[in-house]
Amino acid sequence: MPSAQELVQSCTSIFTLPEIYFRVREVVDDSNSTMGDLADVLKLDPAISARLLRIVNSPVYGFPKQVETISRAVSLLGTQAITDLVTATTVGKTFAGVPIQLMDVSKFWHRSVLCALLAGKIAKSCGIKDSERHFVEGLLRDLGHFVLYQYAPQRAQSALIEAGHLDVSLAEVERSNIGCDFAEVGAELVRSWGLPAQIEQAIRHQLSPSEAGDYILHASIVHLAGAVVDCVEHNSKQRPTEVPFDPQALHTTGFVLANLPELMAYAQAQLGDMLALVYPQAVAA
């Protein structure tokens, strides 16, 4: 069976981010560049600029005044946060044109955006600095499934069905049926794009945050948000009475479980608007 890295390599030509992403990365990685340079690059792509401004002015950030220019957005958020947002806005565009057999793509993006919103809100409720950065980690949490369904659609779907009928995790069935799970594959994909280590590690260790080392906080946030979304996705007969949180994730974040219903309500209220920015096709579906 192939490794996660081999699976990603086999699909490299399909899962490629747009040129604007790499232009932004080039500016951010240049120690001599300025925030003005980053703003200038973003202005070359009016569609991305418009999406960025809509996200920055959304309740995710909650700025008291309207942010009207890209230069102002870059100044307020900084280069890394802007890079994260460019990633979020380009990923949906990238995967919109990829034909995926047997996968419910609209459902996938509903899950992913809900997980992203919830990750940011959980982080903020725990008093974590720059909590909105966890939005991108939550958004990319499930990305490995795109590769699995591209590589082996029948086995990926069988794993989903089997996990639904057995008292076993989807990742465990994927490892048995395909050779690796969505977390491993997703981590390899974002690593191949050159995304920051904390995003890769958050995705790779979301199922076992205690193994994430220095990135345990990032992995714990993604774990908590993902566990909630997974629980919500179960039908009423299969849904567990309690969300199966990893105790280490709860300890690391200090998350107060009593806050979950309110955070979930906020996330679901914002889901439609944010989905329209990340993957508009899902709203129309």
Side-chain angles (χ1 to χ4, degrees), residues 117-254:
L117 288 166
L118 200 53
K121 294 182 185 309
I122 288 174
K124 186 174 183 178
S125 77
C126 295
I128 295 171
K129 186 179 179 181
D130 298 328
S131 58
E132 64 279 350
R133 291 205 59 196
H134 296 276
F135 175 92
V136 174
E137 296 170 2
L139 181 70
L140 304 182
R141 176 238 181 190
D142 257 344
L143 210 54
H145 279 123
F146 261 105
V147 179
L148 294 179
Y149 273 86
Q150 181 70 33
Y151 174 80
Q154 296 288 352
R155 278 183 282 170
Q157 187 185 54
S158 295
L160 182 63
I161 295 172
E162 186 177 334
H165 285 85
L166 301 175
D167 187 20
V168 63
S169 71
L170 175 57
E172 187 176 341
V173 180
E174 287 174 341
R175 288 192 291 269
S176 175
N177 290 6
I178 305 174
C180 46
D181 61 51
F182 73 95
E184 299 172 77
V185 175
E188 287 298 328
L189 181 59
V190 302
R191 187 181 68 83
S192 74
W193 289 340
L195 266 61
Q198 68 264 21
I199 298 179
E200 176 206 335
Q201 292 295 304
I203 295 171
R204 187 180 301 279
H205 298 294
Q206 59 178 289
L207 305 176
S208 51
S210 59
E211 298 176 6
D214 293 341
Y215 302 103
I216 186 171
L217 180 60
H218 293 266
S220 294
I221 293 293
V222 174
H223 167 81
L224 296 176
V228 174
V229 173
D230 286 346
C231 188
V232 169
E233 289 296 314
H234 282 104
N235 63 46
S236 57
K237 292 182 179 179
Q238 295 176 319
R239 187 177 301 162
T241 55
E242 294 183 356
V243 181
F245 291 129
D246 182 295
Q248 184 63 57
L250 291 172
H251 175 75
T252 298
T253 60

